Amino acid sequence: MNLENIVIVLDHPEEARNIGAACRAMANNDISTLRIVGNKSDYNADEIQHIHVLAVHAGGIFDRVQFFNSITDATADCAICAGTTRRRGKKRGKLLLPEEFADIADDITSQNSAEKSHDDEDRAGKITKSAKVAVVFGNERTGLTDEQLDQCNIGVTIPSSQEFGSLNLSHAVQIICYHLFRKSLAAQKITVRGYTPLALERIDRLVTGITDDLQEIGFFRMPGRENMENFWRSVLSRASLSEGEAQYLEKIFAKIAGLSNKNHLT
């Protein structure tokens, strides 16, 4: 996934705060190309200031924004144009889920990233190394109309409640950008998780240490050690402990054993 080739298109957004929040959502996910269908003159100085406030440190994305007269114009240099919608249109067929769309975007933006082409022209009708993928989001009140969706060649839908399915514009941008970002991390073989759960071999060493300490303080008789080990192994393996948590447990039981010996000597 080449996130530099992802283009976010907002069609006639009304709320300055939503534009700013969309910029922030893009920046959170390393996406920086924003295009707006509409006129820059629609936003006065106060609204532009509000955009920068809501964007926090992502105001530079709006400073570089390009304005266009239509979705067709805004996506003319893109290999594919995906309209976000809950509705189908005659040209869109099956609506893709965000993760399915991320797979397609990955293929298109990465297809020739390793190739050394002398120019970016598509002379053979194939996607070139600079192929872009556009994602289009509609107006906050109406979403994308049928006419606007017909300017896109695929549709992407974000599943939501049947009772209240409307998403805030910036939230929709965040969800789509997040899936693209995660696909980019996967392509780079970057694993994102808070911690790595312990392997069973490490659990066994932890259990041995705990039972050694418990035996030292006379918590159980030698014949009961196997049952005690089985108990701790079962509990700790289901707990998905981190290395830090395992070390903390080891220190606790070692300290218990140490205090017990100290008290016994005194």
Side-chain angles (χ1 to χ4, degrees), residues 63-134:
D63 293 336
R64 298 186 298 273
V65 69
Q66 294 177 289
F67 288 84
F68 296 85
N69 293 322
S70 67
I71 292 172
T72 299
D73 291 343
T75 62
D77 62 340
C78 299
I80 198 166
C81 172
T84 55
T85 180
R86 299 184 71 205
R87 305 189 305 274
R88 283 191 172 187
K90 60 184 179 180
K91 295 183 180 180
R92 291 176 298 285
K94 173 189 174 184
L95 295 178
L96 300 174
L97 294 173
E99 56 269 30
E100 294 172 326
F101 170 67
D103 288 338
I104 293 175
D106 182 31
D107 289 339
I108 292 175
T109 62
S110 304
Q111 183 163 342
N112 295 307
S113 60
E115 295 180 8
K116 303 299 181 182
S117 174
H118 294 295
D119 59 64
D120 291 337
E121 292 186 10
D122 187 5
R123 298 180 181 178
K126 300 177 181 178
I127 299 169
T128 66
K129 69 172 183 175
S130 61
K132 295 182 176 65
V133 169

Side-chain angles (χ1 to χ4, degrees), residues 198 202 206 210 213 236 241-256:
L198 296 182
R202 179 66 177 92
L206 173 59
I210 289 175
D213 291 330
L236 297 177
L241 296 175
S242 69
E243 176 60 32
E245 290 168 329
Q247 291 178 10
Y248 191 60
L249 280 173
E250 288 171 332
K251 290 177 181 178
I252 289 173
F253 281 92
K255 187 170 184 178
I256 289 173

Side-chain angles (χ1 to χ4, degrees), residues 191-197 242:
T191 301
V192 179
R193 64 162 64 96
Y195 68 95
T196 301
S242 69

Side-chain angles (χ1 to χ4, degrees), residues 166-204:
S166 178
L167 291 173
N168 176 274
L169 173 59
S170 65
H171 293 175
V173 172
Q174 178 70 267
I175 291 170
I176 295 296
C177 289
Y178 172 75
H179 279 279
L180 295 169
F181 179 71
R182 288 301 302 270
K183 190 67 180 180
S184 172
L185 293 181
Q188 298 174 64
K189 293 182 170 50
I190 298 175
T191 301
V192 179
R193 64 162 64 96
Y195 68 95
T196 301
L198 296 182
L200 291 177
E201 182 274 334
R202 179 66 177 92
I203 292 289
D204 284 341

Side-chain angles (χ1 to χ4, degrees), residues 205-215 232 236 249 253:
R205 286 194 285 118
L206 173 59
V207 168
T208 298
I210 289 175
T211 49
D212 282 347
D213 291 330
L214 290 175
Q215 185 176 331
W232 282 106
L236 297 177
L249 280 173
F253 281 92

